Amino acid sequence: MRHIDILLTGNLPGGREPFVHSDLRVVFHRWKSEAPLPLMEGRPWAFIDWVLDEMSGLELCRRLRCGDSLGQEAHITMILEEDDAEAKRRALRAGADDYIVGPVDRGAILDRVLSIQLPEHEAPTRVLRLGELTLDLAALQARWREKPLLLMPNEMRLLRYLMEKPGHVFSRTQLIAALGKHDQPIDERTVDAWISRLRRALRDVGAGSPLRTVRSMGYVLDRP
């Protein structure tokens, strides 16, 4: 099944429930500029409002393009406030792929995504590497020096997210949101259980303790 993750900087009239049709699944993520990107399974698409509370949509577009590989690969659509030729030119110069005049709702977002020809083949297999720790995203297999880690799905997703952002401290609330668990009644202490099992799996294969607790702040996966 093909998978598209959509980042939204504003509210979405019509709701953010996933859209599934034939072999396509579209997942919506509410995203604020100061927050790290959530865990995404497919090619990311971003719909960025022209006016934001924290910064201009143009500046957020530039930051996304200059960020990690996920931001650089994203298809960016700028949501303009009016049909203005100069605004369109500025959006494209900032790194947007296209633009749409707002306001937009769920139907308009899906129409825009589905109107653009989707790739016929899946993206090449991606393998994350952090020192001697590797994670094959296609096979869903993590290894330390070729020794497989025995992980449950939540711990596997957690490891992937931390490996994509090594050295970054995340609170429990941020990890729940990033892993797509913000719409479910999950206690923050559940994260401690995920962390504990992940740490045990790393120790069992001789990886030591790269997953560190930062007192009163959260957790960080240290760079080697």
Side-chain angles (χ1 to χ4, degrees):
M1 173 173 282
R2 290 177 296 172
H3 190 112
I4 295 176
D5 289 278
I6 296 181
L7 300 169
L8 301 162
T9 59
N11 294 323
L12 183 64
R16 290 188 287 120
E17 288 298 315
F19 170 82
V20 179
H21 178 71
S22 186
D23 68 338
L24 175 66
R25 178 180 175 84
V26 180
V27 178
F28 299 92
H29 305 270
R30 181 73 165 85
W31 178 56
K32 292 188 176 181
S33 59
E34 71 274 11
L37 293 175
L39 182 67
M40 295 182 283
E41 306 296 336
R43 182 189 179 189
W45 295 55
F47 285 80
I48 299 179
D49 289 286
W50 184 258
V51 176
L52 300 170
D53 293 336
E54 308 86 6
M55 66 181 71
S56 71
L58 291 172
E59 178 60 24
L60 181 56
C61 180
R62 295 188 189 97
R63 292 191 182 190
L64 190 59
R65 280 292 185 233
C66 295
D68 59 26
S69 60
L70 285 177
Q72 295 170 15
E73 296 169 1
H75 182 106
I76 300 177
T77 298
M78 187 71 68
I79 303 176
L80 306 178
E81 293 194 306
E82 57 186 28
D83 189 2
D84 178 73
E86 178 59 23
K88 294 175 182 177
R89 286 192 289 269
R90 293 177 66 192
L92 296 177
R93 286 198 299 267
D97 294 286
D98 57 14
Y99 43 78
I100 188 172
V101 178
V104 298
D105 57 14
R106 177 186 174 90
I109 295 288
L110 288 171
D111 285 346
R112 173 53 61 94
V113 171
L114 298 177
S115 69
I116 297 177
Q117 185 175 359
L118 299 172
E120 295 181 1
H121 304 287
E122 295 293 333
T125 299
R126 215 160 47 104
V127 177
L128 300 179
R129 302 183 186 278
L130 189 63
E132 296 182 278
L133 180 64
T134 62
L135 175 56
D136 186 325
L137 297 180
L140 293 178
Q141 178 63 69
R143 294 179 181 274
W144 170 266
R145 295 180 179 175
E146 299 307 314
K147 296 180 180 179
L149 278 71
L150 301 180
L151 299 174
M152 298 296 287
N154 279 331
E155 288 81 58
M156 184 70 71
R157 286 165 56 81
L158 176 63
L159 177 61
R160 173 185 168 181
Y161 190 69
L162 293 172
M163 286 184 69
E164 288 180 339
K165 300 168 179 62
H168 191 111
V169 180
F170 293 100
S171 68
R172 298 183 183 92
T173 301
Q174 286 176 322
L175 289 174
I176 289 173
L179 296 179
K181 305 292 185 179
H182 50 281
D183 293 328
Q184 302 178 29
I186 294 179
D187 188 278
E188 289 187 4
R189 293 296 173 180
T190 302
V191 176
D192 295 343
W194 298 343
I195 292 289
S196 177
R197 289 194 290 265
L198 179 53
R199 279 177 169 156
R200 188 182 310 120
L202 288 166
R203 288 196 302 269
D204 287 346
V205 296
S209 304
L211 184 50
R212 181 166 51 89
T213 299
V214 180
R215 187 178 180 88
S216 302
M217 295 182 66
Y219 303 100
V220 57
L221 184 64
D222 288 326
R223 298 179 183 272

